[in-house]
């Protein structure tokens, strides 16, 4: 007896097929007599945006065979448990699920921004994250919602040439479009509010359309909330994760965390306190202060990040970590 019913199911990416098969079994176990319904897999008719993973066979749109929308919350949870890398409500009619590319660096790194992502320096000039150097001062937001400068200490991750999949968050202002890896933390709110305390850190892969992010308004420089109108995935070359003294920064004028992999920004900031303290002390002692720039810092994930992740795996619940 078939366990999947479909309108159009052509899935040309083996990893996606495996996840669909696993999810189909979970659906049958959860609701006897109900099947997984795949409404679209590979797009041959050009119905999606040009960046869509439907053209690569890495995405499916799903419902249950009875089209009962009250089941969609649990269906999304089952899809996550089946191993899909991105799961979200793309419309009221279906849930979108997709997987990373096998050769994507997203399976080898934590949280980063693409090399072309822009930050604003203290003097108002803009600069690509790939051109930042330790010691630069960039704009971020403090705990009470004020735009302030923060010093770049180092790069937690730096990959110059490898390709990686980025989650793209498009706000209602097309100039405030943020790309970041799925495991990176971004501050979101379910409500249209400008109050910092209403924004919580979450993985980019868990952000949903209709939620709000904090943006620095171009022109006035004022901080306000902006609604996310679209979410999709793009691949790009290069990945950079600058660490600032505040643990946050404005990237393409959108407020983001410097941290990734664990969905607790405050915990991550505390965990990196010894590293921040070391850099503060050595900056006061020129003899000890490391004199290096972007070009001389080694590529790859910083040793301290690797150490913290290994430690966290031993002492923290695995559910707190982003699943790659």
């Amino acid at each position: 007896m078939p366990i999947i019913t479909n309108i159009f199911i052509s899935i040309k990416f083996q990893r996606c097929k495996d996840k669909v098969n696993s999810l189909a079994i979970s659906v049958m176990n959860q609701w006897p007599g109900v099947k997984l319904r795949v409404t679209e897999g590979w797009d041959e008719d050009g119905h999606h945006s040009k960046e869509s993973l439907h053209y690569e066979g890495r995405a499916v749109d799903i419902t249950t065979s009875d089209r009962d929308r009250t089941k969609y919350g649990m269906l999304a949870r089952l899809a996550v448990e089946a191993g899909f890398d991105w799961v979200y409500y793309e419309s009221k009619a279906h849930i979108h699920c997709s997987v990373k590319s096998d050769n994507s660096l997203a399976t080898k790194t934590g949280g980063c921004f693409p090399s072309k992502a822009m930050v604003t320096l203290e003097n108002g000039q803009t600069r690509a994250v790939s051109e930042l150097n330790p010691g630069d001062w960039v704009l971020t937001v403090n705990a009470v919602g004020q735009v302030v400068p923060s010093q770049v200490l180092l790069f937690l991750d730096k990959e110059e040439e490898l390709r990686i999949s980025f989650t793209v968050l498009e706000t209602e202002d097309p100039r405030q479009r943020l790309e970041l890896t799925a495991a990176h933390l971004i501050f979101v709110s379910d409500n249209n509010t400008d109050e910092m305390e209403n924004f919580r850190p979450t993985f980019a892969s868990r952000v949903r359309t209709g939620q709000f992010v904090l943006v620095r308004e171009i022109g006035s420089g004022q901080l306000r909330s902006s609604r996310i109108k679209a979410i999709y995935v793009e691949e790009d070359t290069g990945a950079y994760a600058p660490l600032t003294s505040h643990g946050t920064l404005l990237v393409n004028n959108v407020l983001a965390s410097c941290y990734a992999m664990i969905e607790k920004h405050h915990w991550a900031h505390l965990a990196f306190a010894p590293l921040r303290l070391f850099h503060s002390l050595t900056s006061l002692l020129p003899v000890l202060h490391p004199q290096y720039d972007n070009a001389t810092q080694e590529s790859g994930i910083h040793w301290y990040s690797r150490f913290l992740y290994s430690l966290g795996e031993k002492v923290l619940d695995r559910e707190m970590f982003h699943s790659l």
Side-chain angles (χ1 to χ4, degrees):
M1 179 180 68
I3 59 175
I4 304 174
T5 182
N6 61 284
I7 290 177
F8 183 81
I9 178 170
S10 177
I11 307 171
K12 302 186 178 182
F13 196 78
Q14 184 59 47
R15 190 157 173 263
C16 190
K17 286 182 180 179
D18 294 342
K19 306 307 178 188
V20 168
N21 290 334
S22 176
L23 177 58
I25 294 171
S26 296
V27 168
M28 283 194 5
N29 291 334
Q30 181 70 32
W31 301 291
V34 176
K35 301 174 186 176
L36 175 66
R37 177 173 174 263
V38 178
T39 61
E40 186 157 24
W42 181 274
D43 185 356
E44 294 182 341
D45 301 318
H47 292 153
H48 295 80
S49 64
K50 64 180 180 180
E51 300 91 358
S52 174
L53 298 184
H54 283 283
Y55 299 117
E56 300 180 28
R58 291 164 50 195
V60 289
D61 296 332
I62 62 171
T63 69
T64 54
S65 58
D66 58 2
R67 306 188 191 186
D68 180 359
R69 292 182 182 176
T70 64
K71 291 186 172 74
Y72 289 6
M74 177 58 72
L75 179 61
R77 178 178 174 180
L78 293 176
V80 172
E81 293 175 352
F84 281 98
D85 299 308
W86 292 278
V87 178
Y88 59 90
Y89 291 89
E90 193 171 47
S91 75
K92 292 182 179 179
H94 65 259
I95 293 170
H96 173 92
C97 305
S98 55
V99 296
K100 296 184 181 79
S101 170
D102 282 341
N103 61 0
S104 169
L105 184 60
T107 62
K108 304 173 186 177
T109 191
C112 299
F113 306 100
S115 58
K116 64 184 179 184
M118 303 298 293
V119 296
T120 303
L121 302 180
E122 184 180 17
N123 61 12
Q125 295 180 344
T126 57
R127 182 176 295 176
V129 293
S130 59
E131 298 173 353
L132 281 175
N133 290 307
D136 287 341
W137 288 79
V138 299
L139 295 186
T140 188
V141 177
N142 64 17
V144 295
Q146 297 172 322
V147 177
V148 296
S150 189
Q151 189 177 31
V152 176
L153 304 179
L154 48 81
F155 286 92
L156 296 178
D157 199 352
K158 175 185 171 186
E159 302 287 351
E160 298 177 1
E161 299 179 357
L162 295 178
R163 289 191 66 79
I164 183 170
S165 292
F166 291 96
T167 299
V168 183
L169 307 178
E170 276 196 7
T171 71
E172 291 178 334
D173 187 332
R175 295 172 296 179
Q176 293 159 333
R177 171 183 180 273
L178 182 62
E179 297 176 53
L180 67 175
T181 48
H184 205 103
L185 291 179
I186 177 78
F187 299 97
V188 301
S189 173
D190 295 325
N191 304 309
N192 187 3
T193 174
D194 297 339
E195 300 297 326
M196 274 291 296
E197 60 265 25
N198 293 322
F199 285 81
R200 65 185 185 279
T202 190
F203 295 129
S205 61
R206 294 182 180 173
V207 178
R208 302 292 177 258
T209 55
Q211 291 182 317
F212 294 84
V213 291
L214 279 172
V215 302
R216 177 175 174 266
E217 200 166 48
I218 298 173
S220 70
Q222 297 297 311
L223 199 67
R224 64 174 178 83
S225 62
S226 184
R227 182 178 176 274
I228 297 172
K229 68 174 184 179
I231 302 173
Y232 50 90
V233 177
E234 285 185 352
E235 283 197 356
D236 210 334
T237 301
Y240 294 80
L243 172 65
T244 68
S245 55
H246 282 73
T248 59
L249 71 167
L250 287 161
V251 181
N252 292 350
N253 287 304
V254 181
L255 180 63
S257 172
C258 292
Y259 307 118
M261 297 307 296
I262 183 170
E263 203 170 21
K264 297 289 183 181
H265 170 83
H266 181 64
W267 287 13
H269 197 54
L270 286 176
F272 277 92
L275 189 61
R276 296 196 310 275
L277 178 61
F278 171 77
H279 278 265
S280 297
L281 293 176
T282 55
S283 66
L284 300 175
L285 302 170
V287 174
L288 299 177
H289 188 57
Q291 298 296 318
Y292 62 87
D293 57 18
N294 189 338
T296 57
Q297 181 173 341
E298 269 187 48
S299 294
I301 299 175
H302 193 275
W303 68 266
Y304 191 79
S305 297
R306 292 185 184 277
F307 164 73
L308 287 180
Y309 186 74
S310 298
L311 180 63
E313 283 187 311
K314 294 180 175 64
V315 300
L316 297 177
D317 192 322
R318 286 291 301 171
E319 292 184 1
M320 296 182 64
F321 290 89
H322 189 271
S323 177
L324 290 176

